[in-house]
């Protein structure tokens, strides 16, 4: 059994609700109780971030706000000056404690879109798939394909961002600038076709909220994919780039997810195993690399950009008519539903429960929580200059590591 | 490098020329003259949209349409105190990441803010202005106070994005801790709007 293949159950440990997945280590996420979240980070602060003691060892505090980090997070790096002995992450400085319970689904949807701007279509699709299941809204295949299309475009944008940041960290400035120019090109395509660079306000109940232009998008995406392939072919010829990221932050744990798991040889992808969207019709391929290091994760993402372009081509051919969204403001929903998807960083699980016209519970196990733990697990033994390669290669978004009330 | 030469110039001609591509729903929604819309953040009053509150959701699209202008930012009297090279520090008070990505986009070759003499710094001690994005998360209150105190005078504080300005739909505004000199609306503001705000705050016409 591969990690991430199935959720084995949801259980309470003490006062905490914990989702058990795969085998071995339970991963956690919290439901509704904001006060216990720091303890929940023991996966970072405990086993994998244990304080190393010895002659001349000191704590190098990095963050929560400093140059080099795109988001606010603090790391306590235990080192004697060059080698990282261990590391503890504190990502909750910027925890927004997003209030979900008691809100109407319309408000909850807007908040879900803003959990992680880069993953907005993934999380809005998860939320709406769950809500539509509770509300018996039917299952329009064209809508499913349209959501897949948006997700795969966002996946390409995120992978470009991760590989671009990796190139920047490895001092490959020409490649970095070319990749970010390419990402800008992609975001402008999204903007022109969907009205918003991060898909805010596009996804709706039973359809799309906005008129979108999908015609010929495959050609645009293949152009982006082709140009990226050309940049990558030069990048991988750079011994400096390869030497810097190869064998850094090697992590091969059974609880890995997403590109981190696939980069460590685990053939797992929840798009195939259990996504609420019709990926099963598309014959998609899973890309795997074996080494578990920063280079392997970049190789997986590189392959996934091409695979996403291929998926987009397939679904554009399948879409006949995307339905318009239905106004669900004030509508009564009763029930609960759990759904999952493969976000760019890995497996994401969302559970919602509604009573009357209000949210009763909201739960998201976001991939960045797991990837942050993977970073803490893998960075020990590396030198300080490897920090950037390890962190960026895992595509961690601190915004989605917070809790929900 | 040769690929870059083959591809030619990708850098925008903004601000000498109008922006080439503006995401419609990050600009000001204008009433079409008929119909009504309910706004989830109560940004509409007398058919006018308060851009400090607008979260760019497009839920008003039946009765409103975006005007496509990137000239959205406003500055208090303290604006326009810098005239030469301009160093800015990005501070994430509690974002979804989108504002940060749009601010960072200013360094890509398409916007290339360094051609206009604007640069990021890695510490507020070397900055002329601080760009604060996101809602005011409790854990970031003290770091924000420290960061603003570390900025040498004269200094400017930007509130970038609906969350920082009004709390958006997620939380509290940064005004709980610090008053902003320049506000840059949008959810997230598009890079042209942010660049326009930086240039205006420097006194460029």
């Amino acid at each position: 059994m591969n990690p991430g293949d199935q959720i084995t159950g949801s259980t309470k440990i003490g006062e905490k609700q914990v989702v058990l997945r795969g085998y071995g280590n339970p991963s956690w996420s919290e439901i509704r109780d904001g006060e216990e979240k720091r303890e929940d980070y023991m996966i970072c602060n405990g086993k994998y971030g244990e304080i190393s003691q010895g002659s001349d060892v000191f704590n190098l505090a990095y963050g929560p706000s400093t140059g080099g980090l795109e988001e606010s997070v603090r790391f306590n790096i235990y080192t004697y000056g060059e080698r990282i002995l261990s590391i503890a992450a504190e990502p909750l400085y910027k925890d927004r404690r997003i209030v979900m319970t008691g809100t109407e689904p319309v408000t909850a949807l807007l908040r879900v879109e803003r959990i992680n701007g880069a993953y907005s279509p993934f999380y809005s699709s998860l939320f709406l798939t769950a809500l539509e299941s509770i509300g018996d809204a039917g299952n329009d295949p064209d809508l499913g394909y349209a959501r897949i299309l948006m997700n795969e475009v966002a996946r390409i944008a995120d992978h470009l961002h991760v590989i671009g940041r990796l190139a920047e960290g490895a001092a490959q400035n020409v490649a970095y600038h070319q990749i970010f120019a390419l990402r800008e090109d992609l975001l402008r395509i999204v903007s022109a076709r969907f009205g918003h660079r991060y898909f805010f306000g596009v996804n709706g109940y039973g359809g799309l909220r906005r008129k979108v232009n999908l015609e010929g998008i495959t050609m645009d995406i293949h152009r982006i994919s082709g140009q990226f392939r050309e940049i990558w072919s030069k990048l991988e010829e750079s011994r400096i780039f390869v030497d810097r990221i190869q064998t850094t932050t090697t992590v091969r744990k059974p609880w890995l997810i997403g590109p981190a798991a696939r980069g460590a040889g685990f053939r797992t992808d929840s798009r195939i195993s259990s996504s609420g969207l019709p990926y099963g019709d598309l014959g998609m391929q899973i890309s795997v690399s074996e080494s578990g290091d920063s280079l392997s994760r970049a190789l997986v993402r590189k392959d996934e950009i091409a695979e996403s372009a291929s998926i987009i081509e397939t679904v554009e051919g399948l879409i006949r008519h995307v339905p318009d969204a239905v106004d669900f403001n004030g509508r009564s929903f009763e029930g609960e539903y759990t759904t999952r998807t493969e976000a760019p960083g890995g497996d994401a699980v969302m559970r919602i429960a509604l009573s009357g016209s209000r949210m009763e519970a909201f739960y998201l196990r976001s991939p960045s929580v797991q990837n942050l733990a993977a970073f803490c697990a893998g960075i020990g033994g590396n030198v300080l200059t490897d920090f950037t390669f390890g962190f960026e290669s895992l595509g961690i978004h601190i915004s989605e590591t917070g809790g929900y009330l | 490098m040769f690929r870059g030469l083959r591809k030619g110039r990708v850098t925008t001609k903004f601000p000498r020329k109008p922006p080439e591509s503006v995401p419609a729903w990050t600009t000001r929604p204008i009433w079409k003259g008929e119909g009504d819309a309910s706004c989830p953040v109560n940004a509409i009053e007398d058919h006018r949209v308060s851009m400090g509150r607008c979260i760019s959701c497009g839920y008003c699209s039946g009765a409103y349409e975006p005007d496509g202008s990137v000239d959205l930012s406003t500055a208090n009297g303290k604006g326009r105190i810098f005239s030469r090279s301009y160093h800015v520090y990005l501070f994430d008070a509690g974002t979804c990441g989108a504002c940060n990505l749009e601010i960072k986009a200013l360094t890509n070759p398409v916007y290339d803010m360094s051609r206009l003499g604007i640069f990021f710094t890695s510490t507020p001690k070397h900055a002329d202005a601080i760009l604060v994005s996101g809602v005011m998360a409790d854990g970031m209150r003290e770091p924000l106070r420290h960061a603003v105190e570390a900025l040498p005078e004269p200094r400017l504080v930007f509130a970038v994005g609906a969350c920082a300005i009004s709390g958006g739909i997620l939380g509290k505004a940064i005004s709980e801790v610090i008053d902003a000199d320049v506000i840059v609306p949008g959810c997230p503001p598009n890079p042209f709007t942010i660049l326009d705000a930086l240039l205006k705050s420097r006194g460029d016409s």
Side-chain angles (χ1 to χ4, degrees):
Chain A
M1 182 169 63
N2 288 326
D5 274 356
Q6 63 179 31
I7 297 172
T8 54
S10 174
T11 185
K12 266 200 164 183
I13 298 176
E15 289 301 308
K16 298 170 195 167
Q17 193 81 16
V18 175
V19 171
L20 301 172
R21 52 181 299 285
Y23 59 90
N25 299 39
S27 82
W28 65 271
S29 193
E30 170 204 359
I31 298 178
R32 298 172 65 180
D33 186 351
E35 297 307 309
E36 296 183 347
K37 285 181 297 199
R38 280 185 187 276
E39 290 174 27
D40 283 336
Y41 269 89
M42 289 306 287
I43 195 164
C44 270
N45 287 332
K47 185 176 177 184
Y48 300 110
E50 62 188 16
I51 297 171
S52 300
Q53 295 180 339
S55 177
D56 298 331
V57 172
F58 63 96
N59 173 15
L60 175 64
Y62 187 48
S65 177
T66 185
L69 294 172
E70 274 191 353
E71 293 185 80
S72 295
V73 54
R74 178 186 162 115
F75 291 99
N76 295 310
I77 304 168
Y78 297 96
T79 176
Y80 48 75
E82 184 184 24
R83 195 162 300 281
I84 297 170
L85 302 175
S86 71
I87 198 165
E90 291 185 43
L92 297 177
Y93 278 91
K94 63 170 283 189
D95 181 6
R96 293 166 290 170
R97 302 187 175 207
I98 298 173
V99 176
M100 290 291 188
T101 52
T103 62
E104 293 181 347
V106 173
T107 304
L109 172 60
L110 290 166
R111 291 181 178 175
V112 163
E113 284 181 336
R114 287 157 181 79
I115 290 170
N116 175 359
Y119 290 4
S120 165
F122 295 94
Y123 293 161
S124 63
S125 293
L126 274 180
F127 181 80
L128 287 161
T129 303
L131 194 65
E132 287 157 6
S133 297
I134 292 170
D136 291 327
N139 193 8
D140 189 304
D142 282 343
L143 177 58
Y145 294 138
R147 285 176 178 163
I148 286 175
L149 191 150
M150 292 194 291
N151 285 358
E152 296 309 314
V153 172
R155 188 184 313 279
I156 294 173
D158 194 67
H159 283 355
L160 288 175
H161 179 252
V162 170
I163 295 173
R165 292 277 294 173
L166 200 51
E168 181 189 20
Q172 304 297 297
N173 279 344
V174 173
Y176 155 65
H177 282 117
Q178 293 197 354
I179 291 170
F180 271 78
L182 200 56
R183 180 177 176 275
E184 177 64 28
D185 196 353
L186 178 61
L187 292 187
R188 288 183 173 194
I189 291 166
V190 174
S191 165
R193 292 176 175 277
F194 296 90
H196 195 285
R197 286 157 65 98
Y198 296 89
F199 299 96
F200 288 0
V202 178
N203 235 334
Y205 185 79
L208 299 187
R209 299 197 74 261
R210 203 174 284 162
K211 290 291 176 205
V212 298
N213 173 17
L214 303 180
E215 195 179 333
I217 192 170
T218 297
M219 203 180 298
D220 286 342
I221 300 299
H222 275 311
R223 177 172 56 78
I224 298 287
S225 172
Q227 288 184 18
F228 171 72
R229 193 166 55 243
E230 192 185 340
I231 296 168
W232 178 269
S233 70
K234 301 298 178 197
L235 195 53
E236 68 180 358
E237 284 175 10
S238 164
R239 288 308 305 169
I240 296 171
F241 178 68
V242 173
D243 283 349
R244 285 185 171 178
I245 66 172
Q246 195 168 26
T247 72
T248 59
T249 322
T250 301
V251 54
R252 303 173 62 87
K253 301 286 183 186
W255 43 262
L256 292 174
I257 56 171
R262 295 190 283 279
F266 297 107
R267 192 169 291 278
T268 173
D269 192 315
S270 60
R271 282 178 289 184
I272 288 179
S273 56
S274 61
S275 172
L277 295 172
Y279 277 101
D281 309 347
L282 308 178
M284 61 164 283
Q285 303 294 313
I286 298 178
S287 174
V288 171
S289 188
E290 298 294 331
S291 304
D293 56 11
S294 300
L295 177 61
S296 288
R297 292 186 283 275
L299 286 166
V300 167
R301 283 192 160 88
K302 180 262 296 180
D303 289 344
E304 289 184 4
I305 288 173
E307 186 61 26
S308 290
S310 171
I311 292 171
I312 289 165
E313 180 176 1
T314 307
V315 293
E316 194 201 342
L318 291 170
I319 293 171
R320 296 284 169 265
H321 172 72
V322 183
D324 293 335
V326 177
D327 183 10
F328 63 108
N329 201 5
R331 181 173 166 170
S332 181
F333 293 91
E334 292 283 347
E336 62 178 75
Y337 197 82
T338 303
T339 184
R340 65 191 295 190
T341 194
E342 186 75 14
D347 187 32
V349 184
M350 187 181 287
R351 173 180 171 268
I352 65 171
L354 291 106
S355 180
S357 60
R358 301 277 170 177
M359 296 287 295
E360 197 174 52
F362 177 86
Y363 157 67
L364 174 68
R365 205 286 313 284
S366 61
S368 292
V369 173
Q370 207 83 351
N371 286 329
L372 192 58
F375 173 66
C376 296
I379 193 66
N382 290 260
V383 295
L384 287 167
T385 46
D386 295 334
F387 180 97
T388 308
F389 315 140
F391 187 74
E392 300 300 348
S393 70
L394 285 156
I396 296 164
H397 296 267
I398 301 299
S399 59
E400 61 175 28
T401 61
Y404 310 94
L405 303 176
Chain B
M1 195 171 70
F2 289 122
R3 184 185 173 278
L5 289 172
R6 276 204 315 274
K7 197 156 171 62
R9 179 188 167 120
V10 297
T11 308
T12 176
K13 293 187 171 60
F14 183 84
R16 283 189 294 109
K17 298 272 178 68
E20 297 84 12
S21 165
V22 180
W25 284 102
T26 59
T27 65
R28 186 188 298 277
I30 302 291
W31 189 46
K32 292 177 185 172
E34 57 184 38
D36 256 323
S38 66
C39 173
V41 288
N42 300 317
I44 301 175
E45 197 171 328
D46 295 333
H47 301 302
R48 288 182 60 82
V49 176
S50 162
M51 286 307 289
R53 299 195 65 82
C54 177
I55 58 168
S56 309
C57 65
Y59 280 30
C60 58
S61 60
Y64 291 73
E65 59 187 359
D67 70 359
S69 168
V70 299
D71 181 11
L72 293 169
S73 62
T74 53
N76 67 14
K78 199 177 158 191
R80 308 190 174 195
I81 53 179
F82 301 105
S83 59
R84 295 189 178 176
S85 77
Y86 196 22
H87 288 76
V88 297
Y89 181 74
L90 168 60
F91 188 96
D92 172 8
T95 66
C96 70
C99 285
N100 299 8
L101 291 170
E102 297 299 71
I103 295 169
K104 284 283 187 181
L106 298 179
T107 61
N108 77 34
V110 179
Y111 300 100
D112 186 18
M113 67 179 190
S114 64
R115 77 196 151 95
L116 301 165
I118 307 171
F119 308 93
F120 282 121
T121 66
S122 293
T123 166
K125 289 180 180 176
H126 300 158
D128 302 306
I130 185 168
L131 310 185
V132 186
S133 55
V135 296
M136 194 63 256
D138 287 345
M140 293 306 291
R141 285 171 182 266
E142 277 307 302
L144 177 57
R145 281 194 194 99
H146 287 307
V148 173
E149 283 168 10
L151 250 75
E153 291 278 8
R155 62 192 179 206
L156 286 176
V157 177
F158 284 62
V160 181
C163 289
I165 298 165
S166 66
I169 196 159
L170 291 174
K172 295 168 185 163
I174 63 162
S175 57
E176 297 245 326
V177 171
I178 184 85
D179 289 328
D181 302 304
V182 183
I183 69 162
V184 190
C187 184
N190 71 74
F192 282 118
T193 298
I194 304 168
L195 195 55
D196 180 63
L198 285 166
L199 292 171
K200 281 196 297 189
S201 72
R202 196 174 61 172
D204 295 12
S205 57

